[in-house]
Amino acid sequence: MITLEEYKRYLKIQNITYDEELQNIINAVETKVEQFLNRNLLAQDYVEYYDGSGSELLILRNIPVNSVSKIEYYEGRINNVDIWTEWTQDNQYSRLLIPKEKHGIILEGGIFIKGIQNFRITYNAGYTTLPYDINLACKELVKIALDNSPLGKSYLGVTAISDNTGGSSQNITFEDDRENKVLQKIEHYKVLNV
């Protein structure tokens, strides 16, 4: 989602000695963020089945919706073969709209006929560029994970370290639940209808 170089700039890392280990931490963090938000963040294509709503609006599972390439309606089975009819503009609806919230699609001049998994939608959804707050949250979480790894200066589960070598004293304190506080900042992106 975010390049290794961008993470290294944020973390102020200049050497390449531990790039593979850092990339593993990045992959784990980005997976954790997507799992927390119940969604894939980067734009990709989907082919999914939906129950007809009986209205002109159909809410799609992956957001934001960027484009819709195909709407198909299930006609039934003939000789053990599922029959799907592609719906097109000017035949089954007058115009396809994606609301500004990009959470679904609207068939102006048509409706999604009520039924169970009677629509197959082919569409693209996700971000081509991550929103700033998700980008920043990923970077903050990588920093936390790095701090708590053997590559960092602290160890997992430590809340404070005291060091009085050389006659001076230095205390480093780690905030409890730092990860949860960062994740709460992006919780409004969470998808609940997975």
Side-chain angles (χ1 to χ4, degrees), residues 86-102:
E86 183 173 354
W87 279 20
T88 57
Q89 187 170 336
D90 297 328
N91 287 328
Q92 288 82 9
Y93 57 92
S94 58
R95 190 165 66 139
L96 175 71
L97 303 171
I98 298 173
K100 71 177 184 174
E101 299 86 13
K102 296 188 168 197

Side-chain angles (χ1 to χ4, degrees), residues 50-66:
Y50 288 90
D51 296 346
S53 61
S55 74
E56 65 181 11
L57 173 66
L58 188 66
I59 303 296
L60 301 181
R61 288 182 200 98
N62 295 284
I63 58 173
V65 176
N66 300 316

Side-chain angles (χ1 to χ4, degrees), residues 19-171:
D19 279 4
E20 186 176 336
E21 291 88 345
L22 180 57
Q23 189 63 58
N24 290 337
I25 290 171
I26 290 166
N27 294 344
V29 164
E30 290 180 352
T31 297
K32 181 177 188 147
V33 167
E34 286 188 324
Q35 288 172 346
F36 174 76
L37 297 176
N38 293 325
R39 62 194 283 197
N40 297 319
L41 291 170
L42 294 181
Q44 56 187 291
D45 294 327
Y46 297 92
V47 177
E48 296 175 340
Y49 297 85
Y50 288 90
D51 296 346
S53 61
S55 74
E56 65 181 11
L57 173 66
L58 188 66
I59 303 296
L60 301 181
R61 288 182 200 98
N62 295 284
I63 58 173
V65 176
N66 300 316
S67 62
V68 177
S69 55
K70 195 184 290 187
I71 299 173
E72 296 171 286
Y73 178 71
Y74 181 67
E75 299 284 352
R77 286 179 71 85
I78 299 176
N79 297 327
N80 287 334
V81 176
D82 291 338
I83 307 300
W84 292 91
T85 301
E86 183 173 354
W87 279 20
T88 57
Q89 187 170 336
D90 297 328
N91 287 328
Q92 288 82 9
Y93 57 92
S94 58
R95 190 165 66 139
L96 175 71
L97 303 171
I98 298 173
K100 71 177 184 174
E101 299 86 13
K102 296 188 168 197
H103 62 277
I105 53 178
I106 296 172
L107 290 182
E108 189 175 84
I111 64 165
F112 291 98
I113 300 166
K114 207 168 188 65
I116 298 173
Q117 292 198 353
N118 58 331
F119 282 93
R120 182 166 59 193
I121 311 295
T122 304
Y123 68 106
N124 181 280
Y127 297 105
T128 53
T129 302
L130 282 183
Y132 176 77
D133 45 352
I134 294 177
N135 183 303
L136 183 59
C138 287
K139 291 173 182 172
E140 289 174 5
L141 290 168
V142 165
K143 174 144 182 29
I144 292 167
L146 183 61
D147 286 347
N148 289 322
S149 77
L151 295 176
K153 295 181 178 131
S154 61
Y155 299 95
L156 188 58
V158 174
T159 56
I161 295 175
S162 259
D163 181 17
N164 56 6
T165 57
S168 66
S169 179
Q170 177 181 1
N171 288 321

